[in-house]
């Protein structure tokens, strides 16, 4: 199982339990600090079948056709090169392998919000639409691409997860008014065609 952008590694620990001692879990993250945090958490949990590799999800340090599952939570929206990420998912999955990711999508985001770096790291400014997400995965060669869960955010719900930075806080009312029902959290699954 491969987790794209595991951050502090919670999903790696859940995955390690799911695959059992004979399975292997790999996490690929680009940030040294997050890798150290995840390694600490893995050590504290006493888990032996998890490996973290430093690298980019646009150029995965993972062998082609070697992975049964790709998972990811709230990471692909951050990539400026999502087509590369989709094509890397397709490359590393074994034929018949499955991807299930949870991510943010959205449309009609005004340009002044797209340029806001704090909103980018809050997983808002880098989003693409659900339609673009699904077609990007299909173009990368994946099949049975579908959305199984969708939560569309209203402005009051957005406020709770984007106001943490001081730069955003001062403009928060205007920002959330603009974003009302324009962004959603989705769970998307897809398969690499079997041989
Ligand atoms: C919002 S956090 C999500 C962490 C984790 N998946 C979770 O659910 O808690 C994003 C993580 O993705 C990593 N990341 C973002 N863009 C990346 C990229 N292009 N390549 C590799 N890692 C990336 C960051 O370093 C960070 O650890």
């Amino acid at each position: 199982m491969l987790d794209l952008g595991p951050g502090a590694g919670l999903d790696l620990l859940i995955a390690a339990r799911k695959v059992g001692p004979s399975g292997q879990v790999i996490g690929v993250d680009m940030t040294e600090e997050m890798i150290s945090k995840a390694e600490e958490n893995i050590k504290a949990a006493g888990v032996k079948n998890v490996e973290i590799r430093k690298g980019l999800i646009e150029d995965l340090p993972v062998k082609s056709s070697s992975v049964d599952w790709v998972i990811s939570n709230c990471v692909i929206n951050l990539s400026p090169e999502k087509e590369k990420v989709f094509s890397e998912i397709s490359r590393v999955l074994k034929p018949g392998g499955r991807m299930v990711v949870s991510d943010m999508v959205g449309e009609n985001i005004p340009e002044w919000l797209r340029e806001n770096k704090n909103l980018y790291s809050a997983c808002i400014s880098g989003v693409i639409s659900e339609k673009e997400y699904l077609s990007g995965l299909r173009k990368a060669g994946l099949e049975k691409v579908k959305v199984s869960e969708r939560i569309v955010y209203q402005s009051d719900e957005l406020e709770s997860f984007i106001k943490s930075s001081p730069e955003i806080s001062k403009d928060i009312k205007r920002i959330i008014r603009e974003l009302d029902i324009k962004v959603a959290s989705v769970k998307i699954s897809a398969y690499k065609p079997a041989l």
Side-chain angles (χ1 to χ4, degrees):
M1 188 176 266
L2 169 66
D3 186 2
L4 308 181
L10 179 63
D11 290 343
L12 294 174
L13 296 179
I14 296 170
R17 205 174 315 131
K18 290 218 182 245
V19 301
S22 61
Q24 196 202 352
V25 180
I26 303 167
V28 173
D29 205 291
M30 66 178 186
T31 311
E32 201 70 68
E33 290 82 353
M34 296 317 293
I35 294 176
S36 306
K37 188 88 208 143
E39 280 171 345
E40 269 170 39
N41 289 336
I42 290 161
K43 198 169 166 207
V47 170
K48 301 276 178 247
N49 55 346
V50 179
E51 180 196 346
I52 304 189
R53 299 180 188 170
K54 185 169 181 198
L56 294 174
I57 60 173
E58 295 85 355
D59 183 19
L60 288 167
V62 177
K63 256 178 36 190
S64 300
S65 303
S66 65
V67 169
D68 294 297
W69 283 78
V70 171
I71 59 169
S72 183
N73 181 50
C74 220
V75 178
I76 299 173
N77 73 83
L78 296 167
S79 172
E81 297 179 296
K82 294 175 183 56
E83 275 173 24
K84 278 196 186 169
V85 181
F86 298 148
S87 122
E88 281 295 85
I89 293 173
S90 180
R91 178 182 69 78
V92 300
L93 277 174
K94 290 181 188 170
R98 186 175 184 191
M99 175 210 90
V100 182
V101 303
S102 170
D103 208 357
M104 298 292 283
V105 292
E107 38 195 323
N108 303 323
I109 313 284
E111 213 36 53
W112 65 277
L113 288 182
R114 289 267 184 210
E115 285 159 9
N116 185 315
K117 289 196 182 82
N118 295 291
L119 277 184
Y120 204 99
S121 58
C123 296
I124 305 279
S125 300
V127 293
I128 53 174
S129 70
E130 187 177 298
K131 201 167 151 205
E132 288 171 297
Y133 212 114
L134 301 187
S135 77
L137 289 167
R138 288 191 189 105
K139 261 193 222 145
L142 298 172
E143 63 176 19
K144 295 186 227 160
V145 179
K146 71 165 195 203
V147 176
S148 57
E149 283 171 31
R150 180 186 302 105
I151 300 166
V152 180
Y153 291 107
Q154 295 188 337
S155 48
D156 53 337
E157 295 163 308
L158 281 170
E159 183 165 6
S160 60
F161 68 86
I162 62 179
K163 74 174 170 194
S164 49
S165 100
E167 292 87 345
I168 295 180
S169 294
K170 58 178 164 40
D171 225 5
I172 188 72
K173 291 291 173 217
R174 185 166 160 237
I175 292 172
I176 59 170
R177 226 181 11 252
E178 279 287 356
L179 291 173
D180 189 37
I181 66 166
K182 288 183 182 158
V183 288
S185 157
V186 285
K187 187 158 139 191
I188 298 179
S189 61
Y191 289 82
K192 179 159 170 176
L195 288 176

